[in-house]
Amino acid sequence: MESLTQTIQAVPLNHYILLSTIIFSIGVMGVLLRRNAIVIFMSVELMLNSVNLLLTAFSVYRGDAAGQVFVFFIMALAAAEVAVGLAIIVMIYRNTNSIDINVLNRLKW
Amino acid sequence: MDNLIWLIPVLPLAGFVINGLGRNTLSKGIIGAIGSLLVLIAFGLSVAAFFQIKNSGVPIEVNLFDWISVGSFHIPFAFLVDQLSSIMLLIITGVGFLIHLYSIGYMHDDNGFGKFFAYLNLFVFFMLLLVMGSNYVVMFIGWEGVGLCSYLLIGFWYTNPSYADAAKKAFVMNRIGDLGFLLGIFLLVNTFGSTNFADIFPKAPVAVAAGAPIVLITLLLFVGAVGKSAQLPLFTWLPDAMAGPTPVSALIHAATMVTAGIYMIARSNILFTLAPHTMEVIAIIGLATAAFAALIALTQTDIKKVLAYSTVSQLGYMFLGLGVGAYTGAFFHVLTHAFFKALLFLGAGSVIHAMSGEQDMRKMGGLKSKIGITFWTMLVGTIAIAGIPPFSGFFSKDEILAAAFAHSTTFYVVGVITAGLTSFYMFRMMYLTFWGKFRGTHEQEHHLHESPANMTIPLIVLAILSAVAGMIGVPAVMGGHHELGAYLAPVFEASHKILGEHELSHSTEWILMAVSVGIALVALGYAYSKYVRGAHVPVSDEEERPTLGNLSYHKFYIDELYDKIIRKPLDAISVFFYKVVELLGIDGFVNGLGKGTLETSKGLRLLQTGNVGFYIFMMVVGIIAILLYSLIKI
């Protein structure tokens, strides 16, 4: 265990932060630019997991396990959310024969 | 007797309920019988109460229930029948019964017969409540109630818009006075912590010495009396009130309701005695009203209008009496006035009945032989009001004038001149109506008939009372004992102690009497020479009148004056408030708020494009904005 911590700490914290930021940004861009609902969904997962990564990194550096516990909760929640989200997408597909989000433009004034 | 006293007001109330509910189903005979008999029973009870008090000298007090109870402040619903109210009870139920009886005949052909008796009974109920209340609040209930009944009965023939207007006028004028009365009650509560007569009156001298605002209290109470008893400047409703059926004029606007103000002041006499300034105001207003109304009455041609102004004038006398401290005299005049004025009104009603509804004296004349009973009874009433001995009006008026003389010679001189005017216009009315040639149409002449017995019997009874009622107040100078004064003495005891007795010498009193009787006789003679010998008939409305006569005939343009200085500006202000404050201000604000919300949301809803990508983009922009904000803040 001791060695794992040291291995992780061998990489400077800044790098972890940078990596998470990049992944998060990729997620944001994916959400903003893509139209496929499943891809958007995947991008959201990407954002979520970049945050998870950051949490674990901080947790190791601070020697506080709370961050990692948090991550487990987030993962559990994300799994539940994925189940619901995918179900919604399936229903949308059944109704519109498409998962392009631009088809869903009837929710307006 | 004590446990039956509550029946006196409840009986007329029962009459109101029965007649009110059965006005369309019960026959006229039954309605009339119920209405009259219940008042007659109440009269019987009042007589019993009167004799009990006369024998024992102890007032009857009955506490029915606690009405309002807040902390240490209590307003019981209680009755107090003492010497003063027992006399009022006799007047209200006694004269009231006679007038009910008369109404059976007078209103016989009216469709609203049941309604009329229901209202009349309701009026009697409220009037009894007014005089029997043992505190100002119960008195105020009655006070408002009689105002309501007056309104209902003046506007009894409400299909005629001018009658309905007269009713509204009476109601509004009364409300002005009532406001004063109400404020007076509030001040009394504030000062004495109670509204009970029994609590306030004994404490009053001490409280006044300690600086209670007694002048303000009494002035406010007097404002109430001014409204109810038709004094300057709120008298104009009473002449208009003659729009109601004649029995109403007799009962409400001559004998009972309009004397409520005098009763209230006589009841609170100790408060007024402690406020000499208010007394002075009362005397001056009373005197001014007496003279002013008498001047107007000189030229009126409507028989009921003459009597109406004469009522205002006589009420002015009563206030003069109160103002100079002659409480007994003022109350004596209330009593005698109730008899002779009710008689005169009922007589006028009988004349109108005989003339098939004609009220203009210019179209009457020569009725003396045609309707004999009416003529003789009205003659008695006229002599009584003119103050010619030994009829009742002489004694009561003389007592007031003597007190006025003791107070101030000016008051006396004006009072005596007014007495002369009274004698003149009353005999003018008699001469125009009963003497000379008949001036009406042939049809009217053909229909001339004496009224039925149930109308003439009240006239005869009232005529006897008008003739002899003065005997209960014969002054000492004429060898009498003034039984009324002795009977009422406990009520006015405290005031008399403060005012002291200003005894006039016997020779002065004889001279005063001689002067007033002399002036009355001279006025009578002048009226005789003008209207009987000279066969003068007032000119019709189109012809020119001399300036003074014109002023008097048009009531000194008081109504027009009020119209100009009060109604018109009030109208203008109302229009301003309606058009500017209401429509632009309040409506503008509320509508503007609604419209603003509508317009804003019309613009904002365009943001809801339905494009999911746009939503997400805006969300990201929002998150970035929040992050930037927290960055700057740090």
Side-chain angles (χ1 to χ4, degrees):
Chain A
M1 253 338 244
E2 193 64 29
S3 61
L4 185 60
T5 312
Q6 274 164 3
T7 318
I8 291 171
Q9 284 180 343
V11 183
L13 183 59
N14 268 354
H15 291 197
Y16 287 104
I17 295 173
L18 214 60
L19 179 64
S20 326
T21 314
I22 291 167
I23 297 174
F24 187 83
S25 300
I26 291 170
V28 170
M29 296 313 280
V31 169
L32 286 181
L33 299 178
R34 302 305 290 266
R35 292 196 205 150
N36 189 319
I38 293 185
V39 176
I40 290 176
F41 206 56
M42 283 154 65
S43 305
V44 170
E45 289 304 308
L46 217 52
M47 288 153 72
L48 207 59
N49 282 310
S50 76
V51 175
N52 280 348
L53 181 62
L54 204 59
L55 268 171
T56 44
F58 277 127
S59 162
V60 170
Y61 271 84
R62 290 177 55 96
D64 181 353
Q68 294 174 46
V69 174
F70 228 128
V71 168
F72 278 111
F73 275 105
I74 292 175
M75 282 173 154
L77 253 167
E81 175 232 315
V82 164
V84 176
L86 282 175
I88 292 172
I89 290 171
V90 169
M91 289 310 290
I92 291 172
Y93 182 74
R94 282 192 188 162
N95 279 294
T96 62
N97 278 329
S98 156
I99 46 169
D100 188 329
I101 56 163
N102 283 351
V103 178
L104 302 171
N105 60 358
R106 269 176 291 169
L107 288 167
K108 59 178 173 184
W109 73 85
Chain B
M1 190 63 225
D2 290 30
N3 40 18
L4 282 180
I5 208 82
W6 58 273
L7 266 176
I8 297 179
V10 166
L11 284 171
L13 182 65
F16 162 67
V17 173
I18 296 170
N19 284 339
L21 293 176
R23 66 187 184 281
N24 295 325
T25 44
L26 297 176
S27 77
K28 283 184 179 177
I30 292 174
I31 288 174
I34 289 174
S36 311
L37 275 180
L38 288 174
V39 179
L40 182 65
I41 298 170
F43 175 64
L45 290 169
S46 306
V47 172
F50 171 78
F51 279 109
Q52 185 186 327
I53 294 167
K54 190 169 160 54
N55 292 333
S56 67
V58 183
I60 302 172
E61 280 190 80
V62 184
N63 195 348
L64 291 185
F65 55 90
D66 248 9
W67 181 29
I68 296 175
S69 213
V70 185
S72 61
F73 178 64
H74 298 282
I75 299 178
F77 200 95
F79 290 149
L80 165 73
V81 180
D82 66 352
Q83 287 84 352
L84 191 66
S85 34
S86 69
I87 303 255
M88 282 304 278
L89 288 184
L90 291 179
I91 298 176
I92 296 162
T93 51
V95 176
F97 165 68
L98 291 173
I99 290 172
H100 275 73
L101 191 63
Y102 177 93
S103 304
I104 297 176
Y106 190 81
M107 299 299 287
H108 195 261
D109 302 323
D110 199 282
N111 290 329
F113 191 82
K115 196 175 71 165
F116 182 80
F117 271 85
Y119 287 166
L120 222 50
N121 275 338
L122 185 67
F123 168 78
V124 173
F125 162 70
F126 277 123
M127 193 67 208
L128 291 170
L129 211 57
L130 194 161
V131 297
M132 287 174 74
S134 83
N135 57 53
Y136 281 102
V137 179
V138 175
M139 189 196 245
F140 190 69
I141 304 174
W143 190 273
E144 291 295 300
V146 292
L148 167 73
C149 293
S150 158
Y151 165 79
L152 290 172
L153 285 164
I154 295 169
F156 185 73
W157 290 312
Y158 53 84
T159 45
N160 182 332
S162 71
Y163 290 2
D165 285 348
K168 277 185 275 181
K169 185 175 180 181
F171 199 71
V172 170
M173 288 251 176
N174 267 300
R175 297 299 311 162
I176 299 172
D178 293 349
L179 178 67
F181 189 19
L182 200 58
L183 291 176
I185 295 175
F186 290 156
L187 257 182
L188 278 171
V189 172
N190 192 26
T191 314
F192 296 98
S194 170
T195 58
N196 286 355
F197 300 143
D199 292 340
I200 294 175
F201 297 154
K203 278 196 231 159
V206 183
V208 171
I214 193 73
V215 175
L216 189 59
I217 291 175
T218 48
L219 276 179
L220 285 170
L221 292 180
F222 178 56
V223 168
V226 164
K228 192 62 79 194
S229 296
Q231 296 297 291
L232 279 173
L234 297 178
F235 73 99
T236 55
W237 67 269
L238 186 54
D240 285 15
M242 299 304 135
T246 307
V248 173
S249 309
L251 178 62
I252 302 184
H253 305 118
T256 53
M257 185 188 86
V258 289
T259 59
I262 291 119
Y263 168 78
M264 187 255 279
I265 292 181
R267 168 61 74 207
S268 338
N269 62 79
I270 180 70
L271 299 179
F272 284 84
T273 307
L274 291 166
H277 297 294
T278 314
M279 296 280 276
E280 205 68 15
V281 171
I282 294 175
I284 290 168
I285 289 198
L287 193 61
T289 311
F292 196 74
L295 285 175
I296 296 175
L298 291 179
T299 55
Q300 296 305 308
T301 52
D302 184 320
I303 187 167
K304 282 181 77 182
K305 281 274 158 73
V306 175
L307 291 174
Y309 281 105
S310 123
T311 305
V312 176
S313 178
Q314 298 302 312
L315 291 169
Y317 267 116
M318 296 170 204
F319 277 100
L320 171 65
L322 294 173
V324 297
Y327 296 115
T328 316
F331 202 71
F332 188 17
H333 204 52
V334 168
L335 179 69
T336 56
H337 179 255
F339 294 145
F340 60 67
K341 192 48 70 66
L343 164 64
L344 286 167
F345 265 117
L346 295 186
S350 178
V351 169
I352 295 165
H353 194 75
M355 292 290 294
S356 329
E358 181 61 62
Q359 300 195 10
D360 194 332
M361 292 190 296
R362 287 172 295 200
K363 309 231 170 68
M364 297 176 185
L367 302 182
K368 191 162 46 165
S369 51
K370 307 277 182 15
I371 45 177
I373 300 174
T374 309
F375 165 68
W376 284 109
T377 50
M378 272 187 90
L379 188 64
V380 172
T382 308
I383 296 174
I385 194 176
I388 294 167
F391 289 42
S392 59
F394 165 74
F395 295 100
S396 52
K397 198 182 280 186
D398 188 72
E399 195 174 334
I400 292 173
L401 286 176
F405 181 79
H407 189 80
S408 142
T409 322
T410 327
F411 285 2
Y412 174 75
V413 171
V414 178
V416 161
I417 292 172
T418 307
L421 296 178
T422 309
S423 166
F424 175 78
Y425 66 69
M426 286 312 298
F427 278 100
R428 169 178 175 272
M429 182 196 87
M430 288 302 286
Y431 293 145
L432 282 175
T433 311
F434 292 104
W435 268 264
K437 284 205 305 284
F438 188 74
R439 297 184 290 273
T441 60
H442 270 293
E443 210 157 319
Q444 285 170 330
E445 191 166 14
H446 185 70
H447 277 122
L448 274 182
H449 59 281
E450 181 60 281
S451 305
N454 52 14
M455 286 168 73
T456 50
I457 288 169
L459 286 178
I460 295 165
V461 174
L462 284 169
I464 294 167
L465 285 171
S466 303
V468 302
M471 295 308 155
I472 60 170
V474 180
V477 61
M478 296 176 91
H481 299 289
H482 209 311
E483 280 85 356
L484 183 73
Y487 178 66
L488 288 175
V491 181
F492 302 126
E493 200 181 0
S495 296
H496 280 281
K497 264 187 204 145
I498 296 169
L499 288 171
E501 298 287 325
H502 28 237
E503 278 288 313
L504 295 168
S505 72
H506 281 193
S507 52
T508 323
E509 277 201 48
W510 280 115
I511 293 170
L512 295 181
M513 282 180 200
V515 168
S516 58
V517 172
I519 287 187
L521 288 174
V522 168
L524 186 166
Y526 178 62
Y528 185 80
S529 72
K530 186 168 178 187
Y531 293 103
V532 180
R533 287 272 189 73
H536 178 85
V537 178
V539 294
S540 66
D541 288 344
E542 291 80 34
E543 283 171 63
E544 278 291 306
R545 292 163 190 279
T547 323
L548 281 177
N550 201 29
L551 267 181
S552 164
Y553 184 70
H554 288 107
K555 305 143 197 169
F556 291 92
Y557 295 99
I558 286 285
D559 277 325
E560 286 79 357
L561 186 73
Y562 285 173
D563 198 55
K564 274 239 160 49
I565 63 169
I566 294 172
R567 195 190 66 80
K568 286 253 173 72
L570 216 60
D571 265 8
I573 294 172
S574 310
V575 168
F576 169 79
F577 273 107
Y578 175 63
K579 293 237 162 108
V580 177
V581 176
E582 172 72 24
L583 288 186
L584 292 181
I586 296 173
D587 282 11
F589 176 70
V590 173
N591 289 342
L593 218 59
K595 270 197 190 123
T597 313
L598 207 64
E599 290 302 317
T600 321
S601 26
K602 249 184 202 165
L604 281 177
R605 70 175 186 169
L606 295 178
L607 282 174
Q608 304 284 325
T609 55
N611 188 333
V612 180
F614 179 71
Y615 292 168
I616 297 170
F617 177 68
M618 287 318 289
M619 192 179 85
V620 172
V621 168
I623 292 168
I624 293 172
I626 291 170
L627 284 175
L628 281 179
Y629 175 73
S630 46
L631 234 132
I632 294 164
K633 226 175 107 183
I634 294 160

